Amino acid sequence: MPAKRSKTVTVAAPAAAAHNPGVALRALRRQRGWTLAEIGARTGLPISTLSKIENGKMSLSFDKLTRIAQGLEVDIGELFSSQPPAGNDAFGGRRSITRAGEGYAIRTENYDHLYPASELLNKRLVPIIVELHARSLEEFGELIRHTGEEFALVLEGAIELHTELYAPARLEAGDSIYFDSTMGHAYLAAAPGPCRVLAVCSGGEAHLREAMARQDVTRGARGRREDA
C-alpha cells in the first residue's frame, strides 16, 4: 500500500481558550531558557521546522505534535490549553463544560478526533468524538492498540469494529461496545454518510498519542520527510 501524507492537526477551540501550539512552544521554550537547537535535539525535528511551527508557517502533523509534547515533557493538551496544568493529582472538584464546536480536533487519514474537556490535563478518562473515514482494513492499515479499556457508543450511521481476537462486530446508531484496547482494533465506517462514535478510553492521553504516532510513522514516513 503506498505511503500516505502525514496527518494534519486542526484546532477548533472557543475564542476565549484558543491556544496556538506554535505560540505555546515558544512560550515553554523561553520559560525554560532553551534554544531552538536544544528543542531540536529533544524532539528530533530540524531547527527550520521548529521555527516555522513557532511562527505559524507550518501545519502540525500528529507525529510532530507528539514529538514536541514528549520533548518538552508536557501533556499534549498543554500545547492547546490557555490554562496552566494542575500541580498534582488532587484535582478536587474540577469540571469542564464543552460547548458545540469547542475542544480541539485532530484529523488523520482514518479518523477525525474531537477531544472535549481539552483544557483538563492528565485525565483518567479520555472522551473522544470520532468521525470515521476508512471503510476497509486495507484502507485503514495497521490495527491500533493502546493500554487500558475502551467504551464506544455509535452516535450516527453504522460502524464495523475489527479486533485481532474476535470476528468483526457491526454496530448501529445507539449500539455500544466495551473492550480491552490493548487488543489491536480498528473502527470502520459501515454505512453511507457520516459515521460517528463517542469513544471513552481509560488508558490516558499519553498512551493514545503513542498509539496514533506509531500508526503515523508506519503510514506517513514520506510526508514527514517532505515536511522536514
Side-chain angles (χ1 to χ4, degrees):
M1 182 172 62
K4 297 192 176 183
R5 294 188 303 274
S6 184
K7 303 165 180 65
T8 301
V9 173
T10 304
V11 179
H19 201 118
N20 186 301
V23 173
L25 169 60
R26 183 187 292 113
L28 288 166
R29 178 175 64 80
R30 290 178 175 175
Q31 182 184 45
R32 300 174 186 189
W34 292 343
T35 64
L36 282 175
E38 289 174 305
I39 297 293
R42 287 174 169 271
T43 62
L45 295 172
I47 294 175
S48 60
T49 297
L50 293 168
S51 178
K52 289 177 183 178
I53 292 171
E54 282 197 357
N55 290 286
K57 296 181 179 179
M58 175 178 287
S59 61
L60 275 169
S61 71
F62 191 86
D63 177 57
K64 287 188 180 69
L65 186 63
T66 301
R67 290 160 72 179
I68 289 170
Q70 291 175 340
L72 293 172
E73 298 179 348
V74 298
D75 189 281
I76 197 169
E78 199 167 337
L79 298 176
F80 293 92
S81 175
S82 61
Q83 299 182 11
N88 53 50
D89 289 335
F91 296 131
R94 69 176 187 164
R95 75 169 198 175
S96 174
I97 297 175
T98 303
R99 306 295 183 186
E102 294 182 350
Y104 70 84
I106 296 176
R107 171 165 293 184
T108 75
E109 297 285 349
N110 292 325
Y111 303 135
D112 283 354
H113 282 177
L114 178 64
Y115 289 78
S118 58
E119 77 281 9
L120 296 183
L121 307 179
N122 304 311
K123 294 186 288 294
R124 294 182 176 90
L125 297 175
V126 183
I128 314 169
I129 299 173
V130 187
E131 183 166 347
L132 313 182
H133 300 312
R135 294 181 176 273
S136 69
L137 284 178
E138 291 74 21
E139 185 180 356
F140 187 92
E142 184 179 354
L143 298 179
I144 294 175
R145 49 181 57 79
H146 50 85
T147 60
E149 297 177 317
E150 191 161 336
F151 170 79
L153 171 68
V154 181
L155 301 175
E156 184 178 5
I159 75 165
E160 195 172 73
L161 179 65
H162 287 252
T163 63
E164 59 187 352
L165 298 181
Y166 296 92
R170 181 184 174 95
L171 303 174
E172 306 286 343
D175 294 343
S176 64
I177 189 169
Y178 191 107
F179 62 95
D180 176 0
S181 48
T182 63
M183 176 174 55
H185 57 278
Y187 293 102
L188 302 180
C195 295
R196 296 168 63 244
V197 175
L198 169 63
V200 181
C201 306
S202 69
E205 288 178 277
H207 296 294
L208 293 173
R209 294 199 306 268
E210 291 170 6
M212 294 297 292
R214 282 195 297 271
Q215 190 183 54
D216 196 23
V217 167
T218 301
R219 304 179 62 196
R222 184 176 65 182
R224 287 196 299 278
R225 288 197 298 271
E226 292 171 353
D227 287 345

